[in-house]
Amino acid sequence: MNILMLLYKDIPYDARVKREALALAEAGHAVYLACVREFQEPDPFLHKNIHLIRIGISVKSMKATMSKGKASAQTRQSAVKKLIVRTARLPLVKIPKDYLAYYEFYKKVKVHLKEISIDAVHCHDLNTLWQGHMLSKDFSAKLIYDSHEIFNEMAGRNQLDRITGYAMEKRLFQKIDYLVTVNPYLRDYLFEKNGEKPCVLIQNIPLFHKDVLKQEKAIDWDYSFNENDTILLYQGGFSPYRGLELIIDAMAKLPETYKLVMIGSGILKDELVSRTVSLGLSDRVFFHDQVSSENLIHYTLKADIGLVMYEKVSKNNYYSTPNKIFEYLQAGVPAVSSNHPGKSVIIDEYKTGVLAEETPEGIVNGILEIMNQYAYYQQNCLRAREVLTWEAESKKLIQMYENFS
């Protein structure tokens, strides 16, 4: 089959989309992966059957241009830029702007594929479903909705965003041929909102080869840790409501031998760095730039405990199963996690860590509980990674497409 995948962000750091595309390519399908170009790095080679289409979108290009320039020019224009940004975020401006950008994406993808017959359009998250529906009609193709999370409940979505998003999702949900999502909680929530559709659950389990454990790969992580230090790790976006402030506050309550590394990027970084300085933790809390999904395991392996402290502020946070839960256990790193269904479904069932209260004290207690029985939790991680594999998940995806043939 010729499969068109749509992703409304850039491909380099989206591990799930790369895994799915690779699984289908290895099964013999031709995958046309259309995404938004956000980074200037060269196109990555994924597979001979994967044809990457990175598309520039006017709105995103303007945003990137605004963030560049000399310091003096930025100083002179900062007030104007702030006004533009505030105006662009107003609901009555943001929603039309978003849909104009979505339509531009749709038109450019269609032009790229005008000579190709597409059999299925695979939409990653709600912000590609509208374009995917139009493309599926253009190509008389099957329509797959791959909902990685509850998009309308993500942090930063205002009330008008949610109302508009839920209305669009409900209308387009009736048009899809298959739903793909990550756990039974998200599936049941989407069914309750929109009605039932054929569905396959594909967990966010990273691709993992045991051979990686034998590789002594040099990485740029040199924080001069001592042999008796306990290394705590957060990897992922520096976004609101992920408990990052709580994690830093917890560090102030732990012995000095506990060190924290935070790998990622996002809008909260400056605020988190300032919080670290104000608490006098600069010699114990370290920030590392975002790392590609292919290299992340080499960093994760250096940690003793992984942290997944999403706050219960939305249904998306509550029901989501973040990639990092699987990334930690694959590296044999026990986790301290908030006690939500989407996280406890793995951590509680496989005993790969401790579920903790969303407070600094709760995080500290969870960390100390793991350290008191470290061998037990680590061994459970090693057992779980034998069962929870991308190979098993990918078979479900391949079978879904075989059902279309």
Side-chain angles (χ1 to χ4, degrees):
M1 296 179 68
N2 288 338
I3 300 167
L4 170 61
M5 280 194 165
L6 301 179
L7 173 66
Y8 199 70
K9 57 181 178 179
D10 213 342
I11 192 61
Y13 299 103
D14 199 307
R16 178 182 174 94
V17 174
K18 283 191 280 191
R19 286 196 303 269
E20 290 191 12
L22 187 59
L24 293 170
E26 290 178 342
H29 301 289
V31 180
Y32 296 85
L33 205 171
C35 65
V36 174
R37 180 182 287 278
E38 296 179 294
F39 307 104
Q40 294 308 308
E41 57 195 77
D43 293 357
F45 175 77
L46 302 176
H47 190 278
K48 65 179 182 179
N49 289 342
I50 297 177
H51 311 278
L52 190 56
I53 307 166
R54 294 170 80 194
I55 292 173
I57 300 296
S58 303
V59 170
K60 290 185 177 285
S61 299
M62 289 169 58
K63 183 178 178 182
T65 301
M66 285 179 63
S67 67
K68 296 177 181 178
K70 295 181 180 179
S72 58
Q74 287 181 331
T75 301
R76 290 194 302 270
Q77 299 173 16
S78 60
V80 176
K81 288 180 180 179
K82 286 179 181 178
L83 178 61
I84 293 172
V85 169
R86 281 199 298 268
T87 303
R89 288 176 177 169
L90 292 172
L92 292 176
V93 177
K94 179 180 180 298
I95 291 173
K97 171 181 67 69
D98 286 347
Y99 277 86
L100 283 171
Y102 293 165
Y103 187 73
E104 181 184 356
F105 183 61
Y106 156 71
K107 293 294 288 185
K108 288 183 175 180
V109 172
K110 185 177 177 181
V111 168
H112 269 278
L113 298 171
K114 61 184 177 181
E115 304 297 331
I116 298 167
S117 174
I118 296 296
D119 301 300
V121 181
H122 190 126
C123 306
H124 289 283
D125 276 323
L126 183 59
N127 55 359
T128 65
L129 188 56
W130 182 55
Q131 307 94 302
H133 168 56
M134 291 189 290
L135 288 163
S136 72
K137 290 198 299 181
D138 292 336
F139 292 109
S140 300
K142 299 289 186 181
L143 181 62
I144 295 91
Y145 178 28
D146 195 330
S147 181
H148 304 181
E149 51 197 334
I150 304 176
F151 190 86
N152 289 311
E153 296 292 335
M154 289 171 60
R157 302 277 289 175
N158 60 58
Q159 187 61 24
L160 189 55
D161 262 338
R162 290 192 172 100
I163 292 170
T164 304
Y166 274 124
M168 183 184 75
E169 184 177 57
K170 188 174 184 66
R171 180 174 64 84
L172 295 180
F173 204 85
Q174 314 312 313
K175 312 292 184 181
I176 69 174
D177 295 287
Y178 243 99
L179 171 68
V180 177
T181 193
V182 300
N183 66 40
Y185 304 105
L186 264 67
R187 176 198 61 200
D188 294 347
Y189 182 82
L190 290 167
F191 280 1
E192 181 184 342
K193 285 280 185 183
N194 305 300
E196 295 192 10
K197 284 285 182 176
C199 179
V200 59
L201 299 181
I202 299 176
Q203 298 182 96
N204 276 330
I205 302 176
L207 187 61
F208 176 73
H209 298 294
K210 288 184 182 177
D211 290 346
V212 78
L213 303 176
K214 303 173 187 175
Q215 299 173 7
E216 288 292 334
K217 186 162 185 176
I219 61 172
D220 55 341
W221 179 338
D222 183 14
Y223 300 125
S224 301
F225 294 129
N226 297 318
E227 203 170 302
N228 63 337
D229 284 341
T230 299
I231 302 176
L232 310 177
L233 176 66
Y234 169 83
Q235 57 193 42
F238 296 162
S239 304
Y241 310 119
R242 295 195 174 191
L244 305 183
E245 300 92 342
L246 300 176
I247 290 169
I248 291 173
D249 290 350
M251 288 297 296
K253 300 176 181 295
L254 285 164
E256 291 191 357
T257 53
Y258 285 81
K259 307 292 170 65
L260 170 65
V261 177
M262 304 184 77
I263 300 177
S265 64
I267 59 173
L268 287 185
K269 183 171 182 178
D270 290 344
E271 181 182 323
L272 296 173
V273 171
S274 297
R275 194 183 198 93
T276 297
V277 173
S278 67
L279 290 172
L281 295 171
S282 298
D283 59 341
R284 295 177 52 212
V285 177
F286 307 94
F287 294 86
H288 193 286
D289 290 340
Q290 190 173 12
V291 174
S292 70
S293 55
E294 291 82 4
N295 289 323
L296 187 59
I297 182 65
H298 298 286
Y299 293 81
T300 313
L301 284 165
K302 289 183 171 287
D304 296 300
I305 294 176
L307 301 167
V308 197
M309 289 306 306
Y310 286 39
E311 298 172 55
K312 186 184 174 183
V313 296
S314 70
K315 293 181 178 68
N316 186 54
N317 273 17
Y318 192 57
Y319 290 128
S320 68
T321 307
N323 286 15
K324 58 183 68 65
I325 285 181
F326 300 105
E327 291 164 349
Y328 294 150
L329 72 84
Q330 285 182 338
V333 175
V336 174
S337 169
S338 40
N339 189 3
H340 301 163
K343 299 156 195 65
S344 64
V345 70
I346 301 298
I347 290 176
D348 193 40
E349 181 173 349
Y350 293 93
K351 310 300 180 190
T352 59
V354 170
L355 300 169
E357 292 182 8
E358 296 163 32
T359 63
E361 295 76 14
I363 295 169
V364 169
N365 291 338
I367 289 168
L368 296 179
E369 184 177 340
I370 286 178
M371 293 309 297
N372 286 336
Q373 302 182 71
Y374 194 82
Y376 166 76
Y377 288 109
Q378 185 176 54
Q379 192 59 41
N380 289 342
C381 290
L382 301 180
R383 291 195 187 101
R385 79 181 184 196
E386 298 294 324
V387 179
L388 299 167
T389 67
W390 176 246
E391 286 73 19
E393 299 303 303
S394 65
K395 288 177 183 175
K396 295 185 285 186
L397 179 66
I398 293 165
Q399 182 60 55
M400 181 188 78
Y401 274 96
E402 288 179 357
N403 292 341
F404 294 148
S405 301

